[in-house]
Amino acid sequence: MSAFATGPGPDPTPWDRLDTDPPLFASEPWLTAMAGRIDGEHRRFVRRPGTPEGTGFFGTVIADSRVSESKNPWELLFEPCSLRSLTPDAVTAQSAARTGGPPREGWFPSLVLTYPGLECFPAGPGRHRAGALDAAVADILDQARHDGLRSVAFLYVQPEEHALAEALRRADFIEFPLALRSTLSPPGTSFADYRASLSRDARKGMSRIRRRLSERGVTIRRLRLSAADDATVDRLVDLRMQHRAKYGRRSDEAGERAQLTSFRENFGDRVHLVAAVADGRIIGFCLFLDAGAVRHAWTTGTDYTDDRSKDTYFEVCYYTPVEDAYVSGCRELSYSYGTEGAKIERGCRLDEVKGFVLPLDPGDRGPARNAAAALTGGLARPSSPHE
């Protein structure tokens, strides 16, 4: 297996040769445009490109043991994380495992395999072949040992990735529940079917929100980001800044503008903007990435200085996109991780997403297995709404 960290040149790279129509998160434009979301030295691992066994993974070598929790295998295994809630028993058991566990610094540099978008899956025609996956995982481990790395982690392995999960188990990776993914599959054949699937309180809430928005003169506008002019992008950036400030995140106006501009240039027809508008001005929005079978809710923003923006979040993130899904034929909306209660109330199901980690020091594997056992069955799930 070869590993390289550069982008495509005049001739197709091995990564380009893996798949002529890769999933969005594994496409070269996505990896190039979103590189800044993944810390460290990026690597693309490619085995037998251009053959039926062709298999590839995107990863990054992270040297900083204090990297943010979403890409930190030690922290995801041994510490409480904002990505998930744990049951009281799991919190106690994880704390005990951490006390007897290895030091954080001992797991770095770490090779973390996940895409910008926090999903992990193999690319290429060999992605469902047991032999191809076993060989690819073995080559990745050999390379990690050769490079003097301390751990290897496949993070955010989705529940559909059965073949990859089995390959990692055969390679003796330590498996642990990482987070709960919220996914909404619109039921039936019409928005009326979706509405009927909600609890009585949720149905009343949706009707109340739509009535209030109408009374305030708020309308919903839909467009592809490719059709958005610079003034619209500037407005979205402003709302993102308000969102970041509300939730205590540092201001990054340049970063937000660069991402939106890159989205417009590289994926504009695959990025759907659902916007709440009052007096011709956007006061709330959500961006959805069209990945084919799935649309991913990617980013949102609200004008908290305008009282009319109250309640727009649920309309632009859930009700209108679900309504549109019946028209477009989209069968799945992904709402990623966190705030599961609000999501399940609006029809999402919760699927367990896995992490797989292998400390390359055999002495660290026992404590890691203890921590994984502490987390098993320990993700707290909100109750489903009832009538």
Side-chain angles (χ1 to χ4, degrees), residues 62 67 70 76 78 90 100 110 150 168 184-185 198 210 250 259 261 296 307 316 340 382:
I62 298 176
V67 67
S70 62
L76 288 169
F78 286 103
S110 178
R150 304 302 301 275
L168 294 171
L184 198 159
S185 300
L198 302 178
R210 290 191 151 185
R250 66 178 179 82
Q259 182 177 124
T261 301
H296 296 265
D307 291 340
V316 299
E340 293 93 352

Side-chain angles (χ1 to χ4, degrees), residues 108-182:
F108 292 84
S110 178
L111 173 60
V112 174
L113 296 116
T114 192
Y115 295 102
L118 300 185
E119 290 191 9
C120 180
F121 54 83
R127 59 182 168 268
H128 300 307
R129 298 172 180 258
L133 289 171
D134 287 344
V137 171
D139 285 351
I140 287 172
L141 288 173
D142 286 345
Q143 186 68 50
R145 292 187 176 101
H146 178 271
D147 292 344
L149 306 184
R150 304 302 301 275
S151 62
V152 177
F154 289 73
L155 300 183
Y156 307 97
V157 176
Q158 304 295 297
E160 298 82 17
E161 296 297 330
H162 305 293
L164 174 58
E166 288 300 323
L168 294 171
R169 292 174 188 132
R170 288 192 293 271
D172 206 29
F173 273 74
I174 297 160
E175 176 180 357
F176 64 98
L178 196 159
L180 294 172
R181 181 193 69 185
S182 299

Side-chain angles (χ1 to χ4, degrees), residues 133-275:
L133 289 171
D134 287 344
V137 171
D139 285 351
I140 287 172
L141 288 173
D142 286 345
Q143 186 68 50
R145 292 187 176 101
H146 178 271
D147 292 344
L149 306 184
R150 304 302 301 275
S151 62
V152 177
F154 289 73
L155 300 183
Y156 307 97
V157 176
Q158 304 295 297
E160 298 82 17
E161 296 297 330
H162 305 293
L164 174 58
E166 288 300 323
L168 294 171
R169 292 174 188 132
R170 288 192 293 271
D172 206 29
F173 273 74
I174 297 160
E175 176 180 357
F176 64 98
L178 196 159
L180 294 172
R181 181 193 69 185
S182 299
T183 304
L184 198 159
S185 300
T189 60
S190 70
F191 190 68
D193 294 325
Y194 167 71
R195 188 180 187 283
S197 72
L198 302 178
S199 69
R200 181 183 295 111
D201 286 345
R203 291 196 300 270
K204 288 181 178 178
M206 181 173 66
S207 297
R208 182 170 57 251
I209 285 172
R210 290 191 151 185
R211 184 180 66 253
R212 287 174 176 172
L213 294 180
S214 177
E215 292 169 351
R216 296 168 188 158
V218 177
T219 59
I220 304 301
R221 183 185 177 197
R222 310 161 177 86
L223 73 155
R224 297 183 188 272
L225 194 61
S226 56
D229 58 19
D230 289 345
T232 299
V233 171
D234 288 343
R235 179 58 176 162
L236 300 183
V237 171
D238 176 53
L239 299 188
R240 283 295 299 157
M241 290 301 95
Q242 292 192 45
H243 181 86
R244 294 177 74 95
K246 179 178 174 66
Y247 291 98
R249 300 179 62 191
R250 66 178 179 82
S251 177
D252 186 13
E253 182 174 340
E256 295 287 349
R257 179 170 284 102
Q259 182 177 124
L260 287 168
T261 301
S262 176
F263 274 14
R264 184 175 61 177
E265 293 173 354
N266 294 290
F267 316 105
D269 287 341
R270 301 178 70 169
V271 183
H272 300 261
L273 170 63
V274 183

Side-chain angles (χ1 to χ4, degrees), residues 52 58 79 93 102 137 142 156 166 180 183 206 231 266 281 286 295 323 326 345 353 372:
F58 174 84
E79 289 197 343
V137 171
D142 286 345
Y156 307 97
E166 288 300 323
L180 294 172
T183 304
M206 181 173 66
N266 294 290
R281 186 175 174 84
C286 187
R295 284 188 181 175
E323 201 164 20
Y326 288 102
E345 184 179 356
V353 171

Side-chain angles (χ1 to χ4, degrees), residues 73-79 84 86 89-91 93-98 101-102 107 172-178 352-359 364-379:
W74 185 94
E75 194 164 329
L76 288 169
L77 189 56
F78 286 103
E79 289 197 343
R84 64 188 176 220
L86 300 179
D89 286 346
V91 170
Q94 186 191 50
S95 178
R98 183 168 62 251
W107 279 29
D172 206 29
F173 273 74
I174 297 160
E175 176 180 357
F176 64 98
L178 196 159
E352 193 169 274
V353 171
K354 300 285 190 177
F356 290 83
V357 65
L358 187 66
D364 286 348
R365 294 177 190 172
R369 289 193 179 93
N370 291 339
L375 292 174
T376 299
L379 298 187

